[in-house]
Amino acid sequence: MLTVAALYQFTRFPDPAALRPGLLEVCQAHGVKGSLLLAPEGINGTIAGTREGIDAALAAIRTLPGCAGLEWKESQAGTMPFGRMKVKLKREIVTMGQPDVDPLARVGNYVAPAEWNALISDPGTVVIDTRNDYEVAIGTFRGAVDPGTRAFGEFPDWWQENRDRFAGKRIAMFCTGGIRCEKSTNYLLGQGINQVYHLKGGILKYLEEVPAAESLWQGQCFVFDDRVSVGHGLVPGGLSVCGACRRPVTAAERQHPAYEEGVTCPACETEYSQADRERFRERQRQMRLAAGRGERHLGA
């Protein structure tokens, strides 16, 4: 089994570009694959490899400025869930587009997974899922509000349009691993909302620690690698992903007339041109050829 580590750390990197070569070298030297994002506000990503390889990569990350106390979530994969190792430079490690938002200044109250059920079961609490619509579609907490956003950058506008609905309520927010809540809770605090809480470690930590019999989670949790989703105990959920729009696809949707592997799914059948479809078909053909040679096509 391979180890998959999801991580993030908000810190100050005066020169993120200077950190990129060393991280890439360490990961490649130990066979670690995945994606790391570097920005002036910190680091974010998911990587996979052997136990030894992940330990080496995490050790390198912890030497970066402000990362000595790095926390991460681990799960397992039977096969490598990434095709290559990428270390990218970005403006933000999670894009919200709000220059005044600063998680290093203050964030909401952290709630441990063991205490989350009690908080969100309280009638005085409004539970908000900060993830994108396609993630919410396959799983969320019972009773959670779905903002219906297609990207995290839409969350501030959604809040401004809906904030009156939640007047006088305690706000509890959650996301996959916790990073989006660092920004969204800071944003709400800046909007004058004082009772703001978020799930420490995100859904992944909750699914790892809370027994299924006691869980208020319903469905699967979308993850950004070849496993597509995980359930309780972080066991892979058996979903696939559309090669065109990258949304999760269920077994039933794969039987839909609009589904064509690597080309289209019921959710995106009207979103692309015929030229796009032909391009997707060629990519799928190249992937099959690569698989026949025992290789992995980089478009996978």
Side-chain angles (χ1 to χ4, degrees):
M1 296 294 287
L2 298 173
T3 299
V4 182
L7 60 97
Y8 72 87
Q9 181 74 45
F10 283 99
T11 184
R12 307 292 187 206
F13 287 157
D15 187 6
L19 307 177
R20 181 179 180 274
L23 285 180
L24 187 60
E25 181 180 359
V26 169
C27 290
Q28 290 179 334
H30 290 84
V32 172
K33 297 181 181 181
S35 179
L36 292 173
L37 306 181
L38 294 171
E41 66 180 10
I43 185 170
N44 177 28
T46 305
I47 53 177
T50 62
R51 177 76 267 168
E52 178 186 12
I54 293 298
D55 287 345
L58 293 174
I61 293 171
R62 290 197 298 271
T63 67
L64 303 181
C67 292
L70 178 76
E71 294 185 11
W72 65 93
K73 275 75 66 180
E74 289 190 1
S75 54
Q76 304 297 312
T79 59
M80 173 56 72
F82 298 104
R84 54 181 168 168
M85 185 65 219
K86 298 177 288 185
V87 182
K88 296 182 177 181
L89 302 177
K90 296 285 186 177
R91 287 186 175 183
E92 301 177 67
I93 55 174
V94 58
T95 303
M96 194 180 199
Q98 298 289 315
D100 293 333
V101 165
D102 182 9
L104 289 174
R106 58 176 180 166
V107 296
N109 299 292
Y110 292 106
V111 181
E115 301 170 354
W116 182 249
N117 286 357
L119 174 67
I120 67 174
S121 298
D122 189 316
T125 302
V126 171
V127 188
I128 300 176
D129 194 330
T130 65
R131 299 171 304 149
N132 300 334
D133 53 5
Y134 64 90
E135 299 172 79
V136 180
I138 65 168
T140 190
F141 281 105
R142 188 184 308 163
V145 175
D146 174 13
T149 52
R150 298 191 64 179
F152 185 49
E154 297 175 5
F155 180 83
D157 287 341
W158 175 84
W159 172 259
Q160 295 301 331
E161 293 170 2
N162 292 272
R163 62 180 299 162
D164 291 344
R165 295 167 50 192
F166 312 124
K169 294 285 188 177
R170 180 189 305 113
I171 305 297
M173 296 191 285
F174 64 92
C175 58
T176 307
I179 185 170
R180 278 176 275 198
C181 289
E182 301 278 356
K183 285 195 168 183
S184 57
T185 58
N186 177 270
Y187 175 76
L188 261 60
L189 290 168
Q191 296 295 308
I193 310 302
N194 296 319
Q195 292 194 76
V196 183
Y197 300 80
H198 54 132
L199 177 58
K200 185 172 178 59
I203 302 163
L204 295 179
K205 200 65 175 175
Y206 182 92
L207 294 177
E208 177 187 350
E209 294 187 357
V210 177
E214 302 173 11
S215 176
L216 297 182
W217 176 261
Q218 298 175 322
Q220 298 286 318
C221 176
F222 184 85
V223 291
F224 296 88
D225 58 61
D226 283 0
R227 295 172 299 169
V228 183
S229 69
V230 295
H232 288 96
L234 302 181
V235 176
L239 299 182
S240 59
V241 69
C242 174
C245 68
R246 311 307 296 172
R247 295 183 179 99
V249 181
T250 66
E253 287 171 328
R254 289 196 290 272
Q255 303 304 313
H256 193 280
Y259 180 76
E260 181 180 347
E261 185 179 5
V263 179
T264 185
C265 73
C268 72
E269 61 179 322
T270 63
E271 294 183 359
Y272 295 96
S273 67
Q274 188 58 37
D276 289 329
R277 300 296 182 198
E278 292 304 320
R279 179 163 52 85
F280 297 155
R281 288 189 180 96
E282 176 58 24
R283 180 183 61 190
Q284 190 65 20
R285 189 180 75 86
Q286 293 298 328
M287 288 168 58
R288 286 194 295 268
L289 291 173
R293 299 191 298 268
E295 301 171 357
R296 175 173 173 142
H297 189 270
L298 291 181

